[in-house]
C-alpha cells in the first residue's frame, strides 16, 4: 500500500503558521462553549457602507455578471488612476493600473513578475507574515531588516543600506504597518527612494492601511522614485470590504503588464460585482469620506484606550500611529511569546497572535478593530495574569 500522494516541493516549503496552534485552541474552547474574545483578526468590525452595497446590487441587476478585462473595468481603472492623483500625488495612467482579487493577489502577481530565484528582498521587521512566505515561493530570499521598538519600529535607512548586497532586487514597505502600526515619515521615505535609485531596486509599497493614520501624515514613496516604485492598495481595510476581494496596483507600465499576464493565467479578473462596488467607493466621495473619517475616529479612541490599559497592566506597549493593531511586550507573562499567547488564551480567554511569525519575539499582536466594550472586557480579563499589575 502506498502512503498519501506526495505534495509539491513548493507546497512542502510553505511554513506552517505558528499562529495556527493558538487559533485552533481558541476554536476548541469556543466549541466547548467557552466565551473567547478574539483580537486576532485583521478585519474592520464595521459593515460595508450602504452606498457601496447599493452599487453592487445595481450592477447585478444591470447584468454586470460576466468576465471583465483582466486588468479590471475601464471605469474602475480610471477611478483608481484619479484616486492615486488626488490622494497620493502619484501619476499612474489607467493602463499603468491593474485590479486584483484583494491586495494579496496584487502582491503575489508583483513578486512573481519581478523576482527570480536567488534574488534578495529586504523586508523591515516586524513584518506582515505573508511577505516572506510569498517571496520565498518565487525562489527569492526574504531578508529581514530589523527596526527598533524604541524608534516606534520606523525603518532606519542606514540599516536598510547595510543589508543591500549585489543580489538585492527589491524592498517591501508597509506603512502604516501590520503588525506595528508604524508610519514612516517623509525623510525616511526619501532616503529609501534614493537607495533604491542608487542600487536599482524596486520598491513594493503596500499602502492598504493608508487611511488609518492617527498622529502622523501618510506619504506615498512613489512620489520620490516613480520608476522604482510599485504601489499596492485595496478596498478591504479602508472601506470595510474584506469579503469583496478588491485590490489594485499602480506602477511602471511594463511591470503592470507582466502582472496582468500572471493574472490572465490564474484568476482572469477580480469579481465584476465587487469592481462595481469599489467604483462607488472611489467615486462617491462624500459618502465614502464620511465613512472613512468616522471609522478612523472610532479606531483612534479604541487605540488610546487599549494602549493605556495594557500599560496600566504593566505590559510595555508602544503607541502605534496607524492601522488597527498594537504590539504588547508580554515577556512578563512568559519570555516566549507563544507561551504568553497560550496563557492569555487559557487563563484570560482572549485570543491574540504571537509575534513569532511577524519577526517580533517577546511580543503579541492585538487587533483593536472591535468594540470599546469588548476591549474593556479584555483588559478586565488580563488583569489577574501574573506580571500584570
Ligand atoms: C499589510 C497587509 N497587506 C495586505 C493585506 C491583504 O488584504 P486584502 O487581500 O484583503 O486586500 C493585509 C490583510 O490582512 C495586510 O495586513
Amino acid at each position: 500500500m502506498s502512503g498519501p500522494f506526495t505534495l509539491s516541493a513548493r507546497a512542502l516549503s510553505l511554513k506552517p503558521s505558528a499562529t495556527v496552534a493558538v487559533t485552533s485552541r481558541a476554536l476548541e474552547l469556543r466549541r466547548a462553549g467557552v466565551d473567547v474574545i478574539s483580537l486576532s483578526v485583521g478585519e474592520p468590525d464595521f459593515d460595508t457602507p450602504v452606498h457601496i452595497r447599493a452599487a453592487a446590487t445595481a450592477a447585478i441587476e444591470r447584468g454586470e455578471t460576466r468576465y471583465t478585462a483582466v486588468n479590471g473595468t475601464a471605469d474602475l481603472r480610471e477611478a483608481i488612476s484619479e484616486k492615486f492623483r488626488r490622494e497620493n500625488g502619484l501619476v499612474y495612467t489607467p493602463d499603468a493600473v491593474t485590479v486584483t482579487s484583494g491586495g494579496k493577489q496584487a502582491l503575489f502577481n508583483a513578486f512573481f513578475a519581478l523576482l527570480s530565484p536567488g534574488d534578495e528582498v529586504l523586508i523591515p521587521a516586524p513584518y506582515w507574515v505573508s511577505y516572506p512566505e510569498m517571496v520565498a515561493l518565487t525562489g527569492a530570499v526574504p531578508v529581514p531588516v530589523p527596526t527598533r521598538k524604541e524608534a516606534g519600529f520606523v525603518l532606519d535607512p542606514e540599516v536598510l543600506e547595510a543589508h543591500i548586497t549585489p543580489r538585492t532586487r527589491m524592498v517591501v514597505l508597509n506603512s502604516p504597518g501590520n503588525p506595528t502600526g508604524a508610519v514612516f515619515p517623509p525623510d525616511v521615505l526619501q532616503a529609501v527612494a534614493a537607495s533604491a535609485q542608487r542600487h536599482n531596486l524596486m520598491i513594493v509599497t503596500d499602502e492598504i492601511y493608508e487611511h488609518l493614520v492617527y498622529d502622523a501624515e501618510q506619504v506615498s514613496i512613489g512620489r520620490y522614485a516613480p520608476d522604482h516604485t510599485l504601489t499596492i492598495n485595496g478596498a478591504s481595510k479602508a472601506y470595510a470590504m474584506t469579503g469583496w476581494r478588491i485590490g489594485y496596483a499602480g506602477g511602471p507600465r511594463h511591470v503592470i503588464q507582466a502582472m496582468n499576464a500572471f493574472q490572465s493565467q490564474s484568476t482572469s479578473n477580480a469579481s465584476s460585482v465587487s469592481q462595481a462596488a469599489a467604483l462607488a467607493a472611489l467615486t462617491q466621495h462624500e459618502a465614502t469620506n464620511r465613512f472613512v473619517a468616522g471609522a478612523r475616529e472610532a479606531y483612534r479612541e479604541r487605540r488610546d484606550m487599549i494602549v493605556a490599559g495594557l500599560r496600566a497592566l504593566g505590559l510595555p506597549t508602544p503607541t502605534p500611529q496607524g492601522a488597527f493593531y498594537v504590539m504588547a511586550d508580554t515577556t512578563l507573562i512568559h519570555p516566549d511569546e507563544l507561551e504568553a499567547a497560550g496563557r492569555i488564551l487559557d487563563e484570560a480567554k482572549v485570543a491574540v497572535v504571537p509575534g513569532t511569525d511577524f519577526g517580533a519575539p517577546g511580543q503579541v499582536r492585538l487587533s483593536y478593530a472591535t468594540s470599546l466594550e469588548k476591549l474593556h472586557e479584555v483588559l478586565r480579563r488580563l488583569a489577574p495574569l501574573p506580571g500584570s499589575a
Side-chain angles (χ1 to χ4, degrees):
M1 236 181 57
S2 61
F5 199 80
T6 314
L7 300 175
S8 71
R10 279 214 174 84
L12 293 171
S13 78
L14 278 172
K15 202 172 76 190
S17 159
T19 62
V20 168
V22 177
T23 312
S24 44
R25 209 143 90 224
L27 282 175
E28 248 170 59
L29 285 172
R30 276 230 176 101
R31 245 182 267 127
V34 179
D35 165 31
V36 175
I37 300 182
S38 177
L39 299 187
S40 57
V41 289
E43 171 162 75
D45 58 325
F46 300 103
D47 289 331
T48 303
V50 170
H51 67 290
I52 298 175
R53 300 194 320 243
T57 312
I60 293 173
E61 294 307 326
R62 278 196 309 272
E64 289 179 24
T65 53
R66 299 175 189 278
Y67 291 129
T68 70
V70 166
N71 55 353
T73 64
D75 285 352
L76 182 54
R77 283 183 295 109
E78 180 74 43
I80 292 168
S81 165
E82 168 57 21
K83 175 258 183 272
F84 275 134
R85 190 196 58 72
R86 189 180 66 246
E87 295 188 342
N88 308 99
L90 300 172
V91 182
Y92 296 132
T93 53
D95 61 347
V97 162
T98 187
V99 181
T100 56
S101 298
K104 244 183 186 163
Q105 196 192 9
L107 289 161
F108 204 93
N109 291 347
F111 293 147
F112 274 82
L114 289 163
L115 297 172
S116 300
D119 288 347
E120 291 178 359
V121 178
L122 303 182
I123 308 176
Y127 40 72
W128 181 44
V129 293
S130 292
Y131 300 135
E133 286 301 309
M134 284 191 198
V135 164
L137 273 181
T138 69
V141 182
V143 178
V145 179
T147 62
R148 292 184 318 118
K149 198 183 337 178
E150 300 71 36
F153 301 106
V154 169
L155 177 66
D156 179 340
E158 284 180 19
V159 177
L160 181 84
E161 186 83 22
H163 282 75
I164 295 174
T165 76
R167 287 181 302 281
T168 309
R169 179 114 169 103
M170 180 185 287
V171 182
V172 177
L173 294 188
N174 176 214
S175 168
N178 174 7
T180 65
V183 178
F184 296 171
D187 60 324
V188 166
L189 297 177
Q190 270 164 0
V192 173
S195 274
Q197 283 166 326
R198 224 175 12 254
H199 298 279
N200 197 24
L201 313 178
M202 182 60 77
I203 301 163
V204 172
T205 171
D206 177 352
E207 303 184 355
I208 200 145
Y209 293 102
E210 69 173 339
H211 289 301
L212 306 181
V213 284
Y214 310 109
D215 324 300
E217 189 199 355
Q218 197 274 339
V219 174
S220 292
I221 192 169
R223 279 156 63 160
Y224 307 126
D227 296 338
H228 288 265
T229 304
L230 184 71
T231 307
I232 309 280
N233 210 321
S236 289
K237 317 287 176 173
Y239 317 126
M241 289 179 69
T242 46
W244 300 79
R245 312 307 304 131
I246 291 291
Y248 53 88
R253 205 169 291 120
H254 70 292
V255 177
I256 295 291
Q257 278 164 359
M259 290 170 64
N260 292 340
F262 272 93
Q263 180 151 297
S264 74
Q265 302 295 8
S266 56
T267 58
S268 288
N269 58 263
S271 147
S272 59
V273 175
S274 297
Q275 290 190 57
L279 180 64
L282 291 173
T283 52
Q284 297 184 28
H285 303 307
E286 210 187 308
T288 298
N289 292 346
R290 203 177 322 116
F291 170 80
V292 170
R296 183 167 43 234
E297 283 321 300
Y299 290 133
R300 182 202 300 276
E301 195 181 354
R302 296 164 180 186
R303 175 200 66 163
D304 292 346
M305 194 282 258
I306 193 81
V307 167
L310 290 168
R311 285 182 186 162
L313 293 177
L315 304 176
T317 309
T319 302
Q321 295 189 322
F324 41 54
Y325 310 99
V326 289
M327 296 289 282
D329 185 324
T330 45
T331 46
L332 279 175
I333 294 176
H334 196 286
D336 179 278
E337 67 282 357
L338 267 172
E339 296 287 336
R343 288 195 61 188
I344 291 171
L345 180 60
D346 290 338
E347 295 173 33
K349 310 286 183 271
V350 174
V352 299
V353 185
T356 324
D357 285 351
F358 298 114
Q363 297 160 75
V364 303
R365 188 194 79 175
L366 300 87
S367 161
Y368 53 88
T370 192
S371 68
L372 274 177
E373 200 188 345
K374 273 205 185 139
L375 294 175
H376 278 297
E377 174 60 18
V378 164
L379 292 172
R380 261 195 301 278
R381 290 183 183 194
L382 288 177
L385 278 184
S388 300

